[in-house]
Amino acid sequence: MRPSYTLPMLTPLTVVLAAAALALAAWCGWAAYRDQPTKDWHFIGMAVVTLLALVQLVIGIVLLARGSDPAEGTAIFVAYLAAVVACVPVVGLISLTERTKWGSLTVVAGAVVLAVLQARLHDIWGGGSGA
Amino acid sequence: MPDSPAPKTPEPGTGPRGARPEGIGRGPGTLLLTLYGIFTVGAASRSVVQLTTRFDEAPLAYLLSALAALVYAFITVSLVRGGERARKAAFACCCVELLGVLTVGTWTLLEPSAFPDATVWSDYGMGYLFIPVILPVTGLLWLRRSRRSHS
């Protein structure tokens, strides 16, 4: 395995994605605190986070194709990458049907889950031990 | 299915957009529904992986994970469907869930050797930020309150 294509390459993106998700959570949490539903700007924020998740999915698959081997198995790794992508769009749609602060709180929950998934993802590919 | 008028459980009305009936899946119920949905997916995929790849390692823990997934799935479906019967079913399931978390949580603390691998309910759901124990309590409170506001 060439060192230039290993899974730890994902670390910076993982950190950025987790931070973006937590920022989205805080933002929508603020909307919920002010008793407001999600607005256009929140959806743009969700789109940005989803886009980052898609980039992560593509890079992850490319790294796998180049021969990287996640510590906990390829299937689980791909499943987590897919779950990360699905997370925010799903809660975004739910918040469209629930135009109250509870819709905003739902997005908060989804974004926090995404951040937690990032931490798990780090473990799955072998994290600090250098897979 | 959730949109069709149920013969036995008439809903007081539909939401502002008519998307879903008012009741246990609206308002705070939306958040609850989402969390149960997330835990259904999480527990179900976890137990599928565990049961298919390494059932022999910790059969008890993995079967309990599968049971948890079933309970979560049932509550999620009930919250989506709405209506009085679904509310009662969800209420019963939340009781089962709470009982499960408390039993498994105590069991894992008293006899860790029975659980070589963790379940969603191990140590009262500590690995999941205690959400597994908070969720049924919140669910029970919400389902009780939504009955009062409806009848």
Side-chain angles (χ1 to χ4, degrees):
Chain A
M1 191 193 306
R2 282 171 295 179
S4 48
Y5 296 123
T6 54
L7 286 164
M9 271 181 69
L10 269 176
T11 302
L13 183 57
T14 301
V15 173
V16 169
L17 195 45
L22 288 178
L24 179 69
W27 192 14
C28 292
W30 174 241
Y33 176 73
R34 301 205 306 168
D35 206 6
Q36 286 177 346
T38 46
K39 307 248 174 79
D40 285 357
W41 281 105
H42 296 114
F43 284 100
I44 291 172
M46 289 181 228
V48 170
V49 171
T50 306
L51 199 68
L52 286 172
L54 275 172
V55 171
Q56 186 183 45
L57 175 69
V58 171
I59 295 180
I61 289 175
V62 167
L63 290 176
L64 288 179
R66 292 197 187 251
S68 293
D69 192 18
E72 292 183 30
T74 304
I76 294 180
F77 183 67
V78 174
Y80 265 81
L81 285 176
V84 165
V85 173
C87 232
V88 168
V90 169
V91 289
L93 285 175
I94 294 175
S95 83
L96 275 178
T97 69
E98 178 65 48
R99 306 302 296 150
T100 63
K101 69 171 174 181
W102 296 103
S104 306
L105 271 180
T106 302
V107 178
V108 173
V112 169
V113 166
L114 196 154
V116 171
L117 288 180
Q118 293 299 310
R120 275 288 294 139
L121 208 52
H122 189 254
D123 293 338
I124 288 169
W125 80 58
S129 60
Chain B
M1 191 88 167
D3 287 348
S4 63
K8 278 187 133 181
T9 56
E11 293 290 341
T14 50
R17 305 204 156 205
R20 279 180 284 150
E22 266 177 29
I24 55 175
R26 300 297 299 174
T30 308
L31 180 61
L32 209 58
L33 171 60
T34 309
L35 289 174
Y36 270 113
I38 291 167
F39 268 82
T40 305
V41 173
S45 43
R46 181 189 176 125
S47 64
V48 166
V49 169
Q50 290 174 333
L51 289 174
T52 52
T53 59
R54 41 179 202 275
F55 177 66
D56 298 334
E57 278 178 32
L60 181 62
Y62 298 159
L63 284 175
L64 279 170
S65 288
L67 175 71
L70 271 179
V71 174
Y72 286 135
F74 195 87
I75 298 174
T76 309
V77 172
S78 297
L79 284 172
V80 171
R81 290 190 58 195
E84 181 59 19
R85 266 173 65 196
R87 192 195 65 78
K88 278 188 180 140
F91 193 86
C93 269
C94 280
C95 291
V96 172
E97 186 196 347
L98 184 60
L99 204 69
V101 182
L102 295 179
T103 310
V104 175
T106 312
W107 195 354
T108 45
L109 287 183
L110 292 180
E111 200 186 338
S113 58
F115 295 89
D117 200 353
T119 77
V120 188
W121 291 343
S122 291
D123 303 330
Y124 305 109
M126 195 165 71
Y128 294 82
L129 304 173
F130 290 110
I131 293 173
V133 72
I134 299 168
L135 215 48
V137 174
T138 322
L140 288 173
L141 289 175
W142 164 245
L143 290 169
R144 245 187 57 172
R145 218 195 59 169
S146 54
R147 174 188 58 184
R148 240 181 275 144
S149 65
H150 274 288
S151 54

